[in-house]
Amino acid sequence: MDPPDDEDDVPFSQLVAKQQDPVLPDHNFDLNTPTGSPEFAASYNKQQRRHGKMFNDPVHNLFRLDPLSIDIIDSAQFQRLRDLKQLGMTYYIFPGASHNRFEHSLGVAHLAFEVADKIWNSQRAELDMDRTDIKVVELAGLCHDLGHGPFSHVFDRTLLQSKGVYGWSHEEMSGEILQTIIDDGHITDDALDDIDMKRVQQLIVGSCPNHQPAATGAPPLNDKRFLFDIVANGRNSIDVDKFDYLARDSHYCNVKVSCDLNRLQRLTKVLDNEICFKWSEYENIFELFHARATMHRRVYTHRKAKAIELMLVDALIAADPVLNMTERIHDPREFVKMDDTLLKQIENYSMLHPHFEESDDHAPVIASQKIITRLRKRQLYKYCSEVIIPPSVISANLWKVPSVQDVITCYSGPVHIKEEDVILCENSIDFAMKSKNPLDNVHFFDNFDSRDKYSMLKNTVSPMYPDIFQEHKLRAYSRDGSPDHVDAVKHAFDRWVSKMWNDKVVTSTPLRPPHTLVKKAAAVPAGQLEVPRQTLQQSAVHLSVDSSGSRMEKKRKIQLDSIPE
């Protein structure tokens, strides 16, 4: 494609940049204007806007974003994303996880453009695509996380629900914040008209469970439904948002994942209004969802990371009567005032309110500050135990999270367990579609000349693919960090598990070998061992379950040869 002669007719600069120097096109500057003059500054800014900007990203290397995207990036609403950690409080466990939603949004915009551009170059005639389609897809990728609350998903999935707020979604808030950017004049009508803006909002919220496509007021995109598969794919959850956060999060957390995201971006074709993949990518797509589950298991639901999140929620709930966070979620201009600096605002509340300690009205802030002080001193809530809920119980719809009282009544020891000191936390890890196999909703093709799509059953690919795609765990945490209290909560939780499933299910923290006793025994002369050998052997026995569900006893291998009879 030859670049147009009139540069003013270029609405999307990446398309032209592919034909020219991608780093410093010779037409970026007005060389006839003397440098240092006001005219040069105005011309420089205008040209920079019109030809976009380059970003040097540690995940995607060097890429360019369109001038319209730069106009949005240079707004206060978008710059707020610099103060939102991508992984929230996980940064307290993984010190490399300091990346923000700002760079994630840039990466998603870049990938969205690359996928849409690839489709436009290969199928634009048959799909009736134009450059506006590419523009709205990139903008949807750029703006999809504008509505995220502080501390990642802790805000909407834990804090708001604990306050009785359900049905609120950050995707819909993203669309509302985008509207405020337009209202503030960051984007002109000729750059993004009302119809295109509504299409961007559709692409952002299109995957929300309760969203109706016509709710934004724009004509439905039924004739180009495949555009919804790029940024927020509600069909099978394969989208560039997932591509970026898996690559970025694993990079900064130093966790290795095995899926080849580049192949998934390139070996695609639109058939029957749906993005399909070459048949050879079945295993690669499986690895994509396996990588997601791995990141959830090893990073997102890390035991101590969850303990810190629970402390954070307690601190925010305590301070909410003063900060009114839950009342700001319905007004986009009030909502953007909240970010991860909330903790600092609570800690330094006295700077703006010098006499707040003398007022009972600020007692909630003081209570919140005490929790944050524990967090700063690493006096965390303590993990006690966890159990994997049997899949048969889940599939039969028999699972219900117990109350704290149900658990602590199973304890009969000397420690007094207070109900308010125990937290039961349910975690669910899946392949992005709950109990379903997302690959059942993916269609494939043989080669790029194919006109037909088809499904692939996992058993026809390999008999080694799993039958279960979701796991439920229940964890117990103690707000009281004393060893006796933690042991008591663990004992109560384990007794509750035994009561529920008759010892056929074990917790993930079976009784460990008594290392201290063995070490002590080695130093005691023969015949003077304080703890009998039989006691050591019995302490290494724990219960497990075989494939038929019957009870077995297994003994851990511990070195007892040096211990006298």
Side-chain angles (χ1 to χ4, degrees), residues 373-504:
T373 299
R374 283 188 58 180
L375 176 60
R376 299 301 191 195
K377 294 181 178 181
R378 205 72 176 181
Q379 298 171 355
L380 309 180
Y381 294 169
K382 295 298 182 181
Y383 164 86
C384 300
S385 188
E386 74 177 11
V387 66
I388 299 178
I389 311 304
S392 58
V393 175
I394 300 296
S395 60
N397 201 25
L398 299 176
W399 168 242
K400 181 181 178 181
V401 179
S403 66
V404 172
Q405 189 63 34
D406 292 336
V407 173
I408 62 178
T409 53
C410 297
Y411 178 71
S412 57
V415 178
H416 176 59
I417 304 178
K418 297 180 180 179
E419 186 172 349
E420 60 268 20
D421 287 336
V422 180
I423 305 174
L424 297 180
C425 178
E426 183 183 21
N427 290 322
S428 177
I429 300 176
D430 54 43
F431 273 29
M433 298 193 73
K434 297 186 177 181
S435 61
K436 298 179 181 179
N437 178 8
L439 280 90
D440 290 343
N441 295 328
V442 180
H443 288 94
F444 300 87
F445 59 88
D446 289 329
N447 53 63
F448 286 100
D449 294 328
S450 300
R451 308 302 301 173
D452 298 319
K453 65 180 184 180
Y454 56 87
S455 300
M456 295 178 65
L457 300 178
K458 61 183 179 64
N459 292 334
T460 63
V461 179
S462 171
M464 298 180 66
Y465 288 109
D467 294 322
I468 298 176
F469 300 91
Q470 185 180 40
E471 69 178 31
H472 287 265
K473 289 183 179 181
L474 183 66
R475 287 177 178 170
Y477 288 88
S478 172
R479 290 187 173 94
D480 186 340
S482 63
D484 290 342
H485 193 274
V486 173
D487 289 342
V489 174
K490 172 182 165 33
H491 179 72
F493 186 83
D494 293 349
R495 288 285 301 273
W496 176 83
V497 172
S498 176
K499 176 182 176 182
M500 284 291 296
W501 293 293
N502 299 321
D503 292 334
K504 292 184 178 181

Side-chain angles (χ1 to χ4, degrees), residues 274-434:
E274 174 187 358
I275 294 181
C276 304
F277 298 85
K278 191 176 181 182
W279 66 272
S280 59
E281 298 311 295
Y282 188 96
E283 184 171 359
N284 195 20
I285 295 175
F286 176 85
E287 290 298 331
L288 171 73
F289 293 108
H290 184 267
R292 179 184 183 275
T294 298
M295 290 298 295
H296 272 270
R297 191 174 292 109
R298 297 179 59 182
V299 178
Y300 308 148
T301 62
H302 188 281
R303 294 174 179 177
K304 286 191 176 181
K306 280 296 179 182
I308 293 174
E309 288 181 0
L310 293 172
M311 297 184 71
L312 170 69
V313 171
D314 283 352
L316 294 180
I317 290 177
D320 190 50
V322 175
L323 299 182
N324 298 318
M325 292 171 289
T326 53
E327 296 180 6
R328 301 177 185 270
I329 63 174
H330 305 294
D331 184 348
R333 295 194 180 276
E334 288 294 317
F335 180 81
V336 296
K337 297 177 182 178
M338 297 189 295
D339 52 41
D340 289 356
T341 62
L342 278 176
L343 285 187
K344 282 294 184 181
Q345 294 179 35
I346 297 173
E347 286 182 296
N348 302 322
Y349 193 76
S350 60
M351 293 179 62
L352 298 177
H353 305 80
H355 305 291
F356 87 102
E357 293 184 358
E358 303 173 3
S359 172
D360 293 337
D361 295 338
H362 297 134
V365 176
I366 298 176
S368 179
Q369 287 176 338
K370 292 180 179 179
I371 300 174
I372 298 175
T373 299
R374 283 188 58 180
L375 176 60
R376 299 301 191 195
K377 294 181 178 181
R378 205 72 176 181
Q379 298 171 355
L380 309 180
Y381 294 169
K382 295 298 182 181
Y383 164 86
C384 300
S385 188
E386 74 177 11
V387 66
I388 299 178
I389 311 304
S392 58
V393 175
I394 300 296
S395 60
N397 201 25
L398 299 176
W399 168 242
K400 181 181 178 181
V401 179
S403 66
V404 172
Q405 189 63 34
D406 292 336
V407 173
I408 62 178
T409 53
C410 297
Y411 178 71
S412 57
V415 178
H416 176 59
I417 304 178
K418 297 180 180 179
E419 186 172 349
E420 60 268 20
D421 287 336
V422 180
I423 305 174
L424 297 180
C425 178
E426 183 183 21
N427 290 322
S428 177
I429 300 176
D430 54 43
F431 273 29
M433 298 193 73
K434 297 186 177 181

Side-chain angles (χ1 to χ4, degrees), residues 53 108 138 251 347 509:
K53 286 185 179 179
V108 175
E138 179 181 310
H251 171 78
E347 286 182 296
T509 54

Side-chain angles (χ1 to χ4, degrees), residues 221-234:
L221 294 174
N222 295 331
D223 58 329
K224 297 179 181 178
R225 180 63 182 82
F226 66 91
L227 295 178
F228 284 93
D229 296 343
I230 298 177
V231 175
N233 191 343

Side-chain angles (χ1 to χ4, degrees), residues 102 179 238 254 406 523:
F102 179 86
Q179 182 63 59
I238 304 175
N254 195 30
D406 292 336

Side-chain angles (χ1 to χ4, degrees), residues 538-551:
Q538 290 177 350
S539 66
V541 176
H542 68 281
L543 299 177
S544 62
V545 184
D546 63 6
S547 58
S548 62
S550 62
R551 175 176 172 178

Side-chain angles (χ1 to χ4, degrees), residues 248-276:
R248 195 172 301 276
D249 294 352
S250 61
H251 171 78
Y252 282 104
C253 295
N254 195 30
V255 175
K256 307 303 180 185
V257 294
S258 59
C259 57
D260 189 337
L261 300 177
N262 186 54
R263 289 179 63 93
L264 293 182
Q265 296 173 52
R266 296 182 179 277
L267 299 181
T268 61
K269 183 178 182 178
V270 176
L271 293 171
D272 193 20
N273 216 1
E274 174 187 358
I275 294 181
C276 304

